[in-house]
Amino acid sequence: MRAEDIRRNFLSFFAERQHQVVPSASLIPADATVMFAVAGMVQFAPYFLGSPAPHPRAASIQKCMRAGGKLNDLEEVGHTPIHHTFFEMAGNFSFGDYFKPDAIRFAWDLLTGPFGIDPDRIWVTVHVSDDEAEQIWREQIGLAAAKINRLDKENFWSMGGAGPCGPSSEIFVDRGPDYGPAREQGPLDDERRYPEVWNLVFMQYTQDDDGNITGELARKGIDTGMGFERMASVLQDVPTNYDTDVFVPIMQRAEQITGARRDGPEAEQRLLKILSDHARSLTFLVADGVMPSNEGRGYVLRRILRRAVTKARLAGVTDPVLAELCKVVVDLFGSAYPEVMRERRSIVEIASLEEQRFARTLEAGLSLLQAELQTAGGVLPGQVAFRLHDTYGFPLEITQDVAKDHGIEVDQPGFEAAMLEQRERSRADTHAGKAGDVRTLDIDLPPAEFVGFEGLEADTRVLAVLQDLRAVSAAPEGQEAELVLDATPFYPEGGGQVGDRGWIQGGEGSADVLDSRRHAGVIVLRVRVTSGRLQPGDDVRAIVDPRHRAGAEQAHTATHMLHHVLRESLGEHVRQMGSLVEPGRLRFDFSHFSGLTPDQLAEIEELINTRVEDDDGVRWFETGYREAVEELGAMHFFEEKYGDVVRVVEVGDYSRELCGGTHVRQTGRIGLVKVLGEGSIGSNLRRVQALTGTDGLRWVNERLRQAERAAELARVSPEQLASGVERLLATQKDLQKALEAQERDRVQAAVEQLIPTARTAGSGRLVSARRSEDSGTLRKVAVAVRDRLDRCVVILGSAGEGGANIVAAASPSLVSEGLDVRAILRPAAAHIGGGAGGKENLASAGGRNTAGLDEALAAAAAEAEGVLSA
Ligand code: SER
């Protein structure tokens, strides 16, 4: 039975029994109680807890990930036939509908019916407290008492943290004597011969994060999970999960790249399993939008990826592996999971880039680690693990892994202390710059009411006047102060959008509003009083500067459109990581693994501007978080910040985001989006900057003016600027060449003049002369003469506007006998009023006293003669 047959048979078995077939949810849960979908029930958890379920019965094949969170099998991978980081789980669910008898019956019927497993080979376990389940197995199914074991915590299932939970009954298959001797207690002694294939959980309780039972579920239910790869290994009658058709092609490709063999020694088999498992996780995580990073899910992805690369390098593999394996994974799963096919390009590029990046530091890190392991007496210091982490990007687990192979432990508390210290340091740094933002108000005020979605003006009242966030009785003319209004149309800075500006007009006084922001739930306006005075209780009219607001709205809607267009052209992995929206200007940070080419940037700019021209409507409305995210598919990147009621902003029919900001009503109002450029702001993090409306136009015009000015200087028309500059550069290059040729000729002529003047001095020869060349040319001449003569010292001098220069060069044979031209120049330097420096074979002296040049040259020549004759 091929994998696809198993998936189909499972789902149709339950569909025939009135189960709604539900597609796999993303690996990233909609509400962040767990890091990843660790089981099929994660997407249904709210139904167990009481939210109305659209259907009382469901069945699914869910993508699961058990790494990094509370349920974590990462370290088991490779060491057992049945553990994975990524795996598929088939499950059937009842939300307050059927309970134990049906759940047990369904599982039994599927296994012994369509799956054709011999009933005699089935074993089960039941919770110690659960007589009812044991009775069902014995009396309704007819299973022998000897095949039923009763266990305690092994038969109680929870998500690892807070959520629904309950006792369970696990089903095991005896794979027969090929997998080891029969055991009296079956699965209790041997997971190889008796693997667990299915877990039936009788959801009954809720628990808190620490695992304490906190109550009974109003609606008891069923959550079952059939380990897909395990079932496949049984049905395909192959020894391990890694021999099933969801692994073999990946394993084979890994064999080709690494040279390890599936039937080779234990270590080779382990390597292949780890690589194949990790390539699957990598593929599915990226397909669901996770990018390698230094925290959260992105860090788990990075750890998995780096673990695979490290294992391969330690085994002596030098070729890149991951991208190749991911390609196989995409081919294998692309039809069952369309997101994998859709994100193929990102998956392969991320795998390849991350491997390259890590490989660069891996070798250096590994050799440091190996050296430290030689001297570590049983424990590797935490500081070393920290350095490997900080400098070489080694996740702690990798260091631990490698150390373990040498029988050495890592001092984990030491590592954590070093990490903490670093975190404190960086927190102190950020804090220092932001002290003003953490102060709180000293009076109690009702929470802010923002009325600026409806209009830009409001009749309202001053609730408080503050100075540096402390209540004062009034603000007089000429003073800056902060105001809190009863209701305010001024948008307080938030969601990247800057705060509104505008005016306050009251009976007693008026003010300019410079800024608006939230403090402790209250909207605080920074104002300058322009006439009279403002005090609590004043009735005032609040007026938002319409141009400022309109500019911010243009930029804000453009930001949503940019986000959409980036995802459209680069892939769904693009996620907003931050933004700044000001009147006429925006900055957008997002996750992506490589720089954008000028062509890509131009295409993105064009796509946005086309959508501006389309003049689509922009709508906003409030709704429940769940409706927004699940039914409308609104993009939501900062989920933890949102309460139950959220605001959705829709642009045309293509962009839908949770957003608290203000927007234009039609995209045509944006006028123009001018993309200024793009760059990296961190690992896998990019930033695009753009201008909107007339700000964009002004920028373009300024560039055009620059180009016109340059064209004028180059004496060409603006259209011919590039070719004009090219011509100028070509002329410059020719001139440069001509100058160089002249210089060569000058040197050559001087050399020819000087060679005949060489005279014998002691054991060598001496050339010394006063010349007219400048110091640079003089040096070249000295070196060329020296290179033409054996055992010679050359001393040349010239005087010019900058002063007097002398250069001295000597043949290598003389230098090797101890001659040093710096010593020869030293007495000469005094005559020109300067110093000497350089190397033993080539040195120079310079000074302001040009009148002393002849004496200096004579002194140097005398010194050289003395040395050569000694
Ligand atoms: N949630 C249970 C498990 O993961 C059954 O689906 O084992």
Side-chain angles (χ1 to χ4, degrees), residues 327-373:
K327 284 182 196 163
V328 182
V329 180
V330 172
D331 292 343
L332 206 51
F333 290 92
S335 54
Y337 297 96
E339 65 276 21
V340 165
M341 189 54 86
R342 198 176 55 231
E343 291 302 322
R344 183 177 204 275
R345 210 185 69 190
S346 325
I347 293 165
V348 173
E349 279 186 41
I350 288 173
S352 143
L353 273 178
E354 280 282 317
E355 176 160 6
Q356 276 172 32
R357 274 182 204 155
F358 183 50
R360 263 182 242 143
T361 52
L362 177 62
E363 223 161 283
L366 275 180
S367 54
L368 168 75
L369 177 54
Q370 314 255 5
E372 292 284 348
L373 288 172

Short mmCIF file of all heavy atoms in Angstrom, two decimals, residues 327-373:
data_model
loop_
_atom_site.label_atom_id
_atom_site.label_comp_id
_atom_site.label_asym_id
_atom_site.label_seq_id
_atom_site.Cartn_x
_atom_site.Cartn_y
_atom_site.Cartn_z
N LYS A 327 14.98 19.24 -2.70
CA LYS A 327 14.35 19.09 -4.02
C LYS A 327 13.61 17.76 -4.08
O LYS A 327 12.49 17.69 -4.59
CB LYS A 327 15.42 19.12 -5.12
CG LYS A 327 15.95 20.51 -5.41
CD LYS A 327 16.97 20.45 -6.55
CE LYS A 327 17.80 21.72 -6.57
NZ LYS A 327 19.02 21.57 -7.36
N VAL A 328 14.25 16.72 -3.55
CA VAL A 328 13.59 15.40 -3.57
C VAL A 328 12.33 15.44 -2.71
O VAL A 328 11.29 14.91 -3.08
CB VAL A 328 14.56 14.31 -3.08
CG1 VAL A 328 13.90 12.95 -3.15
CG2 VAL A 328 15.85 14.33 -3.87
N VAL A 329 12.43 16.10 -1.54
CA VAL A 329 11.27 16.18 -0.66
C VAL A 329 10.11 16.89 -1.37
O VAL A 329 8.96 16.44 -1.31
CB VAL A 329 11.62 16.92 0.66
CG1 VAL A 329 10.39 16.98 1.56
CG2 VAL A 329 12.76 16.23 1.38
N VAL A 330 10.44 17.98 -2.06
CA VAL A 330 9.38 18.72 -2.77
C VAL A 330 8.71 17.81 -3.80
O VAL A 330 7.48 17.75 -3.88
CB VAL A 330 9.96 19.98 -3.45
CG1 VAL A 330 8.91 20.63 -4.35
CG2 VAL A 330 10.45 20.97 -2.41
N ASP A 331 9.52 17.08 -4.58
CA ASP A 331 8.94 16.19 -5.59
C ASP A 331 8.04 15.14 -4.96
O ASP A 331 7.01 14.77 -5.49
CB ASP A 331 10.04 15.50 -6.40
CG ASP A 331 10.79 16.52 -7.25
OD1 ASP A 331 10.26 17.63 -7.44
OD2 ASP A 331 11.91 16.22 -7.69
N LEU A 332 8.48 14.67 -3.80
CA LEU A 332 7.77 13.57 -3.14
C LEU A 332 6.44 14.03 -2.54
O LEU A 332 5.47 13.28 -2.50
CB LEU A 332 8.70 13.05 -2.03
CG LEU A 332 8.59 11.62 -1.56
CD1 LEU A 332 8.61 10.68 -2.73
CD2 LEU A 332 9.76 11.33 -0.63
N PHE A 333 6.40 15.27 -2.03
CA PHE A 333 5.22 15.71 -1.28
C PHE A 333 4.41 16.80 -1.98
O PHE A 333 3.37 17.20 -1.49
CB PHE A 333 5.63 16.21 0.11
CG PHE A 333 6.09 15.10 1.00
CD1 PHE A 333 7.42 14.75 1.06
CD2 PHE A 333 5.18 14.39 1.77
CE1 PHE A 333 7.85 13.71 1.87
CE2 PHE A 333 5.59 13.35 2.58
CZ PHE A 333 6.94 13.01 2.64
N GLY A 334 4.94 17.29 -3.09
CA GLY A 334 4.31 18.44 -3.75
C GLY A 334 2.86 18.23 -4.10
O GLY A 334 2.06 19.16 -4.02
N SER A 335 2.46 16.99 -4.47
CA SER A 335 1.07 16.84 -4.86
C SER A 335 0.16 16.70 -3.65
O SER A 335 -0.96 17.20 -3.65
CB SER A 335 0.89 15.68 -5.84
OG SER A 335 1.44 14.52 -5.28
N ALA A 336 0.64 16.07 -2.57
CA ALA A 336 -0.20 15.96 -1.37
C ALA A 336 -0.27 17.30 -0.63
O ALA A 336 -1.25 17.60 0.03
CB ALA A 336 0.33 14.87 -0.44
N TYR A 337 0.80 18.11 -0.72
CA TYR A 337 0.85 19.39 0.01
C TYR A 337 1.23 20.51 -0.96
O TYR A 337 2.41 20.79 -1.15
CB TYR A 337 1.86 19.30 1.17
CG TYR A 337 1.47 18.27 2.20
CD1 TYR A 337 1.99 16.97 2.16
CD2 TYR A 337 0.55 18.58 3.20
CE1 TYR A 337 1.61 16.02 3.09
CE2 TYR A 337 0.16 17.63 4.14
CZ TYR A 337 0.70 16.35 4.08
OH TYR A 337 0.31 15.43 5.01
N PRO A 338 0.22 21.17 -1.55
CA PRO A 338 0.50 22.17 -2.59
C PRO A 338 1.41 23.31 -2.12
O PRO A 338 2.15 23.87 -2.92
CB PRO A 338 -0.88 22.73 -2.93
CG PRO A 338 -1.87 21.84 -2.27
CD PRO A 338 -1.20 20.99 -1.28
N GLU A 339 1.39 23.64 -0.81
CA GLU A 339 2.23 24.75 -0.34
C GLU A 339 3.71 24.42 -0.54
O GLU A 339 4.53 25.31 -0.75
CB GLU A 339 1.93 25.09 1.13
CG GLU A 339 2.26 24.03 2.16
CD GLU A 339 1.15 22.98 2.33
OE1 GLU A 339 0.33 22.85 1.40
OE2 GLU A 339 1.12 22.29 3.36
N VAL A 340 4.02 23.13 -0.50
CA VAL A 340 5.40 22.72 -0.68
C VAL A 340 5.83 22.98 -2.12
O VAL A 340 6.91 23.50 -2.40
CB VAL A 340 5.55 21.22 -0.33
CG1 VAL A 340 6.85 20.65 -0.84
CG2 VAL A 340 5.41 21.03 1.17
N MET A 341 4.92 22.67 -3.04
CA MET A 341 5.21 22.91 -4.45
C MET A 341 5.33 24.40 -4.72
O MET A 341 6.26 24.87 -5.36
CB MET A 341 4.08 22.31 -5.29
CG MET A 341 4.34 22.30 -6.77
SD MET A 341 5.91 21.49 -7.14
CE MET A 341 5.37 19.81 -7.23
N ARG A 342 4.39 25.16 -4.15
CA ARG A 342 4.35 26.60 -4.39
C ARG A 342 5.63 27.28 -3.89
O ARG A 342 6.14 28.20 -4.49
CB ARG A 342 3.14 27.18 -3.64
CG ARG A 342 2.72 28.54 -4.11
CD ARG A 342 1.46 29.00 -3.39
NE ARG A 342 1.61 28.96 -1.94
CZ ARG A 342 0.76 28.37 -1.11
NH1 ARG A 342 -0.32 27.77 -1.57
NH2 ARG A 342 0.96 28.37 0.19
N GLU A 343 6.17 26.80 -2.77
CA GLU A 343 7.33 27.46 -2.18
C GLU A 343 8.65 26.79 -2.57
O GLU A 343 9.67 26.99 -1.92
CB GLU A 343 7.19 27.50 -0.66
CG GLU A 343 6.09 28.43 -0.18
CD GLU A 343 6.28 29.87 -0.64
OE1 GLU A 343 7.42 30.36 -0.67
OE2 GLU A 343 5.27 30.50 -1.01
N ARG A 344 8.62 25.97 -3.64
CA ARG A 344 9.80 25.21 -4.01
C ARG A 344 11.05 26.09 -4.08
O ARG A 344 12.10 25.77 -3.51
CB ARG A 344 9.58 24.54 -5.38
CG ARG A 344 10.74 23.67 -5.82
CD ARG A 344 10.40 22.99 -7.15
NE ARG A 344 11.19 21.78 -7.31
CZ ARG A 344 12.42 21.75 -7.79
NH1 ARG A 344 13.00 22.86 -8.14
NH2 ARG A 344 13.09 20.61 -7.89
N ARG A 345 10.90 27.22 -4.78
CA ARG A 345 12.07 28.07 -5.02
C ARG A 345 12.66 28.58 -3.69
O ARG A 345 13.86 28.49 -3.46
CB ARG A 345 11.68 29.25 -5.90
CG ARG A 345 12.81 29.74 -6.74
CD ARG A 345 12.41 30.98 -7.50
NE ARG A 345 12.25 32.09 -6.57
CZ ARG A 345 11.72 33.25 -6.90
NH1 ARG A 345 11.25 33.45 -8.12
NH2 ARG A 345 11.63 34.22 -6.02
N SER A 346 11.79 29.07 -2.81
CA SER A 346 12.30 29.57 -1.53
C SER A 346 12.94 28.46 -0.74
O SER A 346 13.98 28.65 -0.10
CB SER A 346 11.19 30.14 -0.66
OG SER A 346 10.23 30.75 -1.42
N ILE A 347 12.32 27.28 -0.74
CA ILE A 347 12.84 26.17 0.04
C ILE A 347 14.27 25.85 -0.39
O ILE A 347 15.19 25.78 0.42
CB ILE A 347 11.93 24.93 -0.12
CG1 ILE A 347 10.57 25.20 0.51
CG2 ILE A 347 12.58 23.70 0.47
CD1 ILE A 347 9.48 24.21 0.11
N VAL A 348 14.44 25.71 -1.69
CA VAL A 348 15.76 25.31 -2.20
C VAL A 348 16.78 26.43 -1.96
O VAL A 348 17.90 26.18 -1.51
CB VAL A 348 15.65 24.97 -3.71
CG1 VAL A 348 17.03 24.72 -4.29
CG2 VAL A 348 14.78 23.73 -3.88
N GLU A 349 16.35 27.69 -2.19
CA GLU A 349 17.31 28.78 -1.99
C GLU A 349 17.70 28.95 -0.53
O GLU A 349 18.86 29.16 -0.21
CB GLU A 349 16.73 30.10 -2.52
CG GLU A 349 16.87 30.20 -4.02
CD GLU A 349 16.44 31.55 -4.55
OE1 GLU A 349 16.74 32.57 -3.92
OE2 GLU A 349 15.80 31.57 -5.61
N ILE A 350 16.72 28.84 0.35
CA ILE A 350 17.04 29.01 1.77
C ILE A 350 17.96 27.89 2.23
O ILE A 350 18.95 28.12 2.91
CB ILE A 350 15.75 29.04 2.62
CG1 ILE A 350 15.04 30.35 2.37
CG2 ILE A 350 16.05 28.86 4.10
CD1 ILE A 350 13.67 30.45 3.01
N ALA A 351 17.65 26.65 1.81
CA ALA A 351 18.49 25.52 2.20
C ALA A 351 19.92 25.76 1.73
O ALA A 351 20.88 25.60 2.49
CB ALA A 351 17.94 24.23 1.61
N SER A 352 20.05 26.21 0.50
CA SER A 352 21.38 26.33 -0.05
C SER A 352 22.13 27.51 0.58
O SER A 352 23.29 27.38 0.99
CB SER A 352 21.24 26.42 -1.57
OG SER A 352 22.14 27.29 -2.10
N LEU A 353 21.46 28.65 0.72
CA LEU A 353 22.13 29.83 1.31
C LEU A 353 22.53 29.59 2.76
O LEU A 353 23.64 29.91 3.17
CB LEU A 353 21.17 31.02 1.27
CG LEU A 353 21.19 31.82 0.00
CD1 LEU A 353 20.15 32.93 0.09
CD2 LEU A 353 22.57 32.43 -0.19
N GLU A 354 21.61 29.02 3.53
CA GLU A 354 21.91 28.80 4.94
C GLU A 354 23.05 27.80 5.11
O GLU A 354 23.88 27.95 5.98
CB GLU A 354 20.67 28.29 5.68
CG GLU A 354 19.70 29.39 6.02
CD GLU A 354 20.13 30.20 7.25
OE1 GLU A 354 20.58 29.60 8.25
OE2 GLU A 354 20.03 31.43 7.20
N GLU A 355 23.07 26.79 4.25
CA GLU A 355 24.15 25.82 4.36
C GLU A 355 25.48 26.50 4.03
O GLU A 355 26.46 26.34 4.75
CB GLU A 355 23.91 24.62 3.44
CG GLU A 355 25.09 23.65 3.45
CD GLU A 355 24.75 22.26 2.97
OE1 GLU A 355 23.63 22.03 2.50
OE2 GLU A 355 25.63 21.39 3.07
N GLN A 356 25.49 27.28 2.95
CA GLN A 356 26.72 28.00 2.58
C GLN A 356 27.20 28.89 3.72
O GLN A 356 28.36 28.89 4.08
CB GLN A 356 26.46 28.92 1.40
CG GLN A 356 26.54 28.26 0.05
CD GLN A 356 26.06 29.26 -1.00
OE1 GLN A 356 26.23 30.45 -0.86
NE2 GLN A 356 25.45 28.74 -2.06
N ARG A 357 26.24 29.66 4.27
CA ARG A 357 26.61 30.61 5.32
C ARG A 357 27.20 29.90 6.52
O ARG A 357 28.22 30.30 7.05
CB ARG A 357 25.38 31.38 5.79
CG ARG A 357 25.11 32.57 4.94
CD ARG A 357 23.92 33.34 5.47
NE ARG A 357 23.35 34.10 4.37
CZ ARG A 357 22.10 34.49 4.30
NH1 ARG A 357 21.27 34.20 5.27
NH2 ARG A 357 21.68 35.18 3.27
N PHE A 358 26.53 28.83 6.93
CA PHE A 358 26.99 28.15 8.13
C PHE A 358 28.30 27.43 7.84
O PHE A 358 29.19 27.38 8.69
CB PHE A 358 25.92 27.18 8.63
CG PHE A 358 26.29 26.48 9.89
CD1 PHE A 358 26.73 27.20 10.99
CD2 PHE A 358 26.19 25.10 10.00
CE1 PHE A 358 27.08 26.56 12.18
CE2 PHE A 358 26.53 24.46 11.18
CZ PHE A 358 26.97 25.19 12.26
N ALA A 359 28.43 26.88 6.64
CA ALA A 359 29.64 26.13 6.31
C ALA A 359 30.88 27.00 6.47
O ALA A 359 31.95 26.54 6.83
CB ALA A 359 29.54 25.58 4.89
N ARG A 360 30.71 28.32 6.22
CA ARG A 360 31.85 29.23 6.32
C ARG A 360 32.44 29.26 7.72
O ARG A 360 33.64 29.31 7.90
CB ARG A 360 31.42 30.64 5.91
CG ARG A 360 31.75 30.94 4.47
CD ARG A 360 31.35 32.34 4.13
NE ARG A 360 30.34 32.32 3.11
CZ ARG A 360 29.31 33.15 3.02
NH1 ARG A 360 29.16 34.10 3.91
NH2 ARG A 360 28.46 33.04 2.05
N THR A 361 31.57 29.26 8.74
CA THR A 361 32.12 29.34 10.10
C THR A 361 32.23 27.96 10.73
O THR A 361 32.92 27.79 11.72
CB THR A 361 31.22 30.20 11.01
OG1 THR A 361 29.90 29.72 10.92
CG2 THR A 361 31.29 31.66 10.61
N LEU A 362 31.56 27.00 10.12
CA LEU A 362 31.51 25.67 10.74
C LEU A 362 32.90 25.09 10.96
O LEU A 362 33.22 24.60 12.03
CB LEU A 362 30.67 24.74 9.87
CG LEU A 362 30.58 23.30 10.34
CD1 LEU A 362 29.91 23.22 11.70
CD2 LEU A 362 29.78 22.45 9.34
N GLU A 363 33.72 25.19 9.92
CA GLU A 363 35.03 24.55 10.02
C GLU A 363 35.86 25.16 11.15
O GLU A 363 36.43 24.46 11.97
CB GLU A 363 35.77 24.71 8.71
CG GLU A 363 36.46 23.45 8.29
CD GLU A 363 36.77 23.52 6.81
OE1 GLU A 363 35.85 23.33 5.99
OE2 GLU A 363 37.93 23.82 6.52
N ALA A 364 35.87 26.51 11.17
CA ALA A 364 36.63 27.21 12.22
C ALA A 364 36.07 26.83 13.58
O ALA A 364 36.83 26.53 14.52
CB ALA A 364 36.53 28.71 12.00
N GLY A 365 34.75 26.80 13.70
CA GLY A 365 34.12 26.45 14.97
C GLY A 365 34.45 25.03 15.38
O GLY A 365 34.78 24.77 16.54
N LEU A 366 34.39 24.12 14.41
CA LEU A 366 34.66 22.72 14.74
C LEU A 366 36.10 22.53 15.20
O LEU A 366 36.37 21.78 16.14
CB LEU A 366 34.40 21.82 13.53
CG LEU A 366 32.94 21.37 13.34
CD1 LEU A 366 32.83 20.48 12.11
CD2 LEU A 366 32.42 20.63 14.56
N SER A 367 37.04 23.25 14.55
CA SER A 367 38.42 23.01 14.99
C SER A 367 38.65 23.62 16.37
O SER A 367 39.36 23.03 17.18
CB SER A 367 39.46 23.45 13.95
OG SER A 367 39.24 24.77 13.61
N LEU A 368 38.00 24.77 16.64
CA LEU A 368 38.10 25.30 18.01
C LEU A 368 37.52 24.29 19.00
O LEU A 368 38.13 23.96 20.01
CB LEU A 368 37.32 26.62 18.11
CG LEU A 368 37.10 27.13 19.54
CD1 LEU A 368 38.38 27.72 20.09
CD2 LEU A 368 35.99 28.18 19.60
N LEU A 369 36.36 23.75 18.63
CA LEU A 369 35.69 22.81 19.54
C LEU A 369 36.54 21.56 19.77
O LEU A 369 36.73 21.12 20.89
CB LEU A 369 34.31 22.45 18.96
CG LEU A 369 33.49 21.43 19.73
CD1 LEU A 369 33.31 21.82 21.19
CD2 LEU A 369 32.10 21.26 19.09
N GLN A 370 37.10 21.03 18.67
CA GLN A 370 37.91 19.80 18.81
C GLN A 370 39.11 20.08 19.71
O GLN A 370 39.47 19.26 20.56
CB GLN A 370 38.39 19.32 17.44
CG GLN A 370 37.28 19.30 16.38
CD GLN A 370 36.77 17.92 16.05
OE1 GLN A 370 37.13 17.08 16.61
NE2 GLN A 370 35.90 17.69 15.13
N ALA A 371 39.73 21.27 19.51
CA ALA A 371 40.89 21.61 20.34
C ALA A 371 40.48 21.71 21.80
O ALA A 371 41.16 21.17 22.69
CB ALA A 371 41.51 22.92 19.87
N GLU A 372 39.35 22.35 22.06
CA GLU A 372 38.89 22.51 23.45
C GLU A 372 38.54 21.15 24.06
O GLU A 372 38.76 20.92 25.24
CB GLU A 372 37.67 23.43 23.51
CG GLU A 372 37.98 24.88 23.16
CD GLU A 372 38.69 25.64 24.29
OE1 GLU A 372 38.75 25.11 25.42
OE2 GLU A 372 39.18 26.75 24.01
N LEU A 373 38.01 20.26 23.22
CA LEU A 373 37.63 18.94 23.74
C LEU A 373 38.86 18.14 24.17
O LEU A 373 38.79 17.34 25.09
CB LEU A 373 36.82 18.17 22.68
CG LEU A 373 35.40 18.69 22.45
CD1 LEU A 373 34.74 18.00 21.27
CD2 LEU A 373 34.54 18.49 23.71
#
